[in-house]
Amino acid sequence: MNAEEKRLFDPLWKKWGPYLSERQWGTVREDYSEHGEAWDFFPHDHARSKVYRWGEDGIAGISDDMQRICFAIALWNGKDPILKERLFGLTGSEGNHGEDVKELYYYLDNTPSHSYMKHLYKYPHAEYPYADLVNINRNRNKYEKEFELLDTNLFNEGKYFDVVTEYAKDNAEDLCIKITIHNRGNETAYIALLPTLWFRNLWNFGLMDTKPTLRLQEEEKNYGTIKVEHPTPGDYHFYFDNPVRTLFTENETNTARLYGQPNPSPFVKDTFHTAVTENNFEWLSEKKDGTKCAPMYEFNIVAQSSVTVKLRLSKQPHQQNPFDKNFDAVFTNRIKEADDFYAVITTAKDKDLINIQRQAFAGMLWSKQYFNIDIPRWLNGDPGQPVPPETRKKGRNHDWPTLNNEDIISMPDKWEYPWYAAWDLAFHCVPLSMIDAGFAKSQLILFLREWYMHPNGQLPAYEWAFGDVNPPVHAWSCMQVYKIDKAKTGQGDIKFLKRVFKKLLLNFTWWVNRKDHKGNNVFEGGFLGLDNIGVFDRSSAIPGGGVLEQADGTSWMAMYCLNMLEMSLEIAQYDDSYEDVTTKFFEHFTYIAESLNRMGADWTGSWDDEDGFFYDVLSLPDGRYIPVKVRSLVGLSTLFAVLVLKKETLKKLPDFYNRLKWFQQYREKNNDYLVIEELNEHDDILLSLVPRKKLERLVKALLDEKEFLSQGGIRSISKIHEHGYSVNIDGQEFGLDYQPAEGTSALFGGNSNWRGPVWMPMNYLLINALQQYCEYYKDDTKVEFPTGSGNEILLSEVSNEIAKRLVSTFQLSDNGHRPVNDNYAIYQDEHFRDLILFYEYFHGDTARGVGASHQTGWTGVVAELINRIS
């Protein structure tokens, strides 16, 4: 094992990491309003002045794993009305396409133990355009693009600073910090830097008996020292290059500014903002301790040059200079060890692909965040604090009284989605397992624990509505992580599979009991994470008072059956007591497949033989069935449910194999639907929701550039709906059209669009499914790629071609352009060219990034795809 791999066996190395959120304001956790108006209750304008209850935020920040001690950078260019202490963005109502961060920052590097971390923030010389970003976006309609920070032209001609923050651990509790500020412009420019250390305020909420202290050590040295005294993580020592001045205040709410009530003390959370922007430090000069501190540096940086500030946070005191030659050696060693670690992970040879993958992994690791909420306490309030409105006890999340979370969790995007999302997390764990299988497995186990899972078996969705229903992909992720880990180590972690299998049974049962109202193995489920993909909101009241029998809801459950079957088969090879349950999942899958495919006088299945596609079906109270003929991922999701039972496995499990054959023969005698098309002794067996003839028709649509196939992957809705689709339900028209980028409706907040764009996780599932099909059919199936081109390739090559298109979204083209960057010319500049952003989704025609700009989360699966195509 290399040095970084060894560190993963010592949990202490993860005590400190990038666990600080990038946005704590505007979250449900911090919302104590009467009607759940999170954005308005705690806006960005309050964040600098008001104490947070459930966590902290900052730029390029770190904290301990319980978020007691926090560190981040603050900046001032001499022109802004406030310090740049946290990232700014639009709220849900301010943006023409919902909430959106309006900053330029990049995750450049990170290791799983966080032994080395590197972050880049770009800060303009000119005044930051807070008002313009709000007003211009607010006045744009939903058919217009968002007004971005780059559209202000503030970064033209290099008129900005590149602020690079690096962390390198000498040991698990000795963090070397280096902040380098580059002036990219052609003129000298002023900047103030305040590397800020503070305590999370727990004392005001009855959670601490003793208030912690940051205390300046008055010593005549060429560096400064602050003693960090905290009863929980213990004492630390904060060292820093000698500053212009060292500032102290208290992490306390500025009640005078926010509520017009006198402050008990002048030393409040936003003191540094006032002192720096007004150039008034005299009143702070005598304060030498507090709960928030910052050494302040001021520079006039010459054109095209840089300055560096060194800091160190250490458990053990340094008797000698903490910034001697060993300090620089720590960075040199950790960077080399990071390179050695990733050299083993990647199979790519191309430098651009290696860079893309490295930044994808960096984004995954920087997106780990401390998340804390205790629902009973959140609903009822804290001692000594204002009592929350009584309406909360019947409002959002009141029916999750057992949920109590305080963990480090992989977030979708630490600004736009600084809260976990259960089905996103399932995809995060795939690339995470390539670099830290232990963390990936612990995340999957965590969500099945009793303080997350509802007593009825449901997994929590996200803080906006823990009871929302997301696709059941947890079992799928468990198997993917297991396989990746087994391929790497040569040994399967059966103990892990057993742990998750038992809890997944509870969740599977919840799905069966709650989402199959008619008991006919056709499932509903609601929007299922695909937000606005339907002609109406699939989570609200269904038109005509009917039930929407969803092709994707049914497909997800079929896939869930096969995931559980595969898991039980794997465990049964080591523990034969699990062999009994395998048949249950095989038979349940058969019934679901029959329901989806069956056609008859008394039954309307999801398959439309004339169109060659699967659709949702609206079942009305009067017995009518109305198919909703939208060609979308809803129909393509039927491809996800596929599993090849290898003959080698079947030989090891003769009881299961015999029961399988008996069940197949029984159904054959009764002329029932057969899920196994070919059952030959000693051959592999294909279990698929989609029979071969239907598969061929679906693949034809999938690979048609006039329908689903785009330059950047598979679209979420077919392009044939460019001119719209509508359906009449009891005299009322419901419709949609193909929207390749931002959505044009406010459904689900308007910042997410499933009516055309390419979504990386769904493409990843399609690629995996196609590989299963080709594993069974091998080289006897050829298809046109693209459809109508006359170019025939093996089915086994199709998944690889789709993967290449997905990866190409981030690659430099011959003209030096990356499709993801939307033709912004500045990304051809040397200081932008190699920076990668991993967006939430991508334009269905051009592949430009859309939605959340730092959702390395599930878009991070591109890291695994790079290894596949390399």
Side-chain angles (χ1 to χ4, degrees), residues 627-855:
V628 183
K629 294 192 173 186
V630 177
R631 296 170 75 86
S632 72
L633 283 172
V634 167
L636 294 180
S637 66
T638 55
L639 294 170
F640 300 162
V642 56
L643 174 67
V644 177
L645 300 178
K646 307 298 289 185
K647 56 188 176 184
E648 295 82 5
T649 302
L650 295 172
K651 285 180 182 177
K652 295 176 184 176
L653 303 169
D655 286 349
F656 167 73
Y657 188 33
N658 288 333
R659 291 196 295 271
L660 178 149
K661 287 188 291 185
W662 176 89
F663 189 66
Q664 174 82 353
Q665 291 162 3
Y666 174 82
R667 293 183 64 82
E668 199 168 354
K669 288 177 185 176
N670 288 281
N671 203 27
D672 290 330
Y673 179 83
L674 299 177
V675 73
I676 301 174
E677 293 187 89
E678 301 172 352
L679 181 57
N680 301 313
E681 202 74 32
H682 310 304
D683 282 351
D684 293 346
I685 294 174
L686 177 69
L687 300 181
S688 169
L689 196 56
V690 182
R692 181 163 184 167
K693 288 183 179 179
K694 293 177 182 177
L695 170 67
E696 291 168 354
R697 297 185 69 183
L698 280 177
V699 169
K700 185 177 180 180
L702 180 77
L703 304 182
D704 190 339
E705 291 179 321
K706 296 175 183 176
E707 285 217 59
F708 291 101
L709 184 64
S710 77
Q711 73 170 62
I714 303 301
R715 302 179 178 107
S716 47
I717 278 184
S718 171
K719 201 172 180 178
I720 66 166
H721 295 309
E722 233 172 345
H723 302 295
Y725 165 84
S726 66
V727 59
N728 187 289
I729 303 171
D730 288 350
Q732 190 174 358
E733 288 290 326
F734 296 88
L736 53 68
D737 60 356
Y738 170 71
Q739 300 164 14
E742 294 87 355
T744 59
S745 78
L747 203 61
F748 288 89
N751 67 330
S752 177
N753 181 29
W754 290 82
R755 294 182 173 179
V758 173
W759 289 78
M760 198 71 67
M762 304 299 278
N763 274 258
Y764 190 78
L765 289 173
L766 284 168
I767 287 169
N768 279 1
L770 290 171
Q771 287 189 326
Q772 284 282 298
Y773 284 114
C774 73
E775 189 176 323
Y776 181 77
Y777 292 121
K778 297 188 169 54
D779 294 341
D780 66 344
T781 302
K782 283 192 172 185
V783 296
E784 275 189 308
F785 186 90
T787 298
S789 67
N791 176 47
E792 289 198 340
I793 63 174
L794 294 170
L795 188 61
S796 58
E797 297 173 285
V798 171
S799 62
N800 203 48
E801 291 299 320
I802 295 174
K804 286 179 181 177
R805 291 195 178 209
L806 291 166
V807 173
S808 73
T809 297
F810 307 98
Q811 287 180 279
L812 276 171
S813 61
D814 293 338
N815 64 5
H817 168 68
R818 299 181 195 272
V820 66
N821 291 332
D822 190 24
N823 290 314
Y824 277 111
I826 200 167
Y827 273 101
Q828 295 190 333
D829 177 87
E830 63 175 315
H831 300 303
F832 275 83
R833 185 182 304 121
D834 295 328
L835 303 176
I836 314 294
L837 290 176
F838 299 88
Y839 284 79
E840 183 181 5
Y841 53 101
F842 303 88
H843 194 293
D845 296 329
T846 68
R848 74 168 168 89
V850 192
S853 56
H854 291 73
Q855 197 158 342

Side-chain angles (χ1 to χ4, degrees), residues 133-196:
L133 289 166
V134 173
N135 294 331
I136 294 175
N137 279 289
R138 182 181 275 156
N139 291 320
R140 289 190 174 187
N141 63 44
K142 293 194 177 298
Y143 293 90
E144 296 177 278
K145 289 172 64 176
E146 296 175 1
F147 182 71
E148 302 290 4
L149 187 56
L150 283 176
D151 296 325
T152 65
N153 297 321
L154 289 179
F155 294 83
N156 292 358
E157 301 175 11
K159 294 180 179 179
Y160 64 91
F161 301 101
D162 270 344
V163 184
V164 179
T165 305
E166 295 175 89
Y167 301 90
K169 296 179 183 176
D170 191 19
N171 61 53
E173 295 191 272
D174 186 358
L175 290 82
C176 300
I177 307 167
K178 186 162 60 174
I179 303 168
T180 305
I181 306 176
H182 302 265
N183 177 5
R184 299 301 187 191
N186 296 317
E187 298 177 357
T188 299
Y190 169 86
I191 190 169
L193 168 67
L194 291 86
T196 307

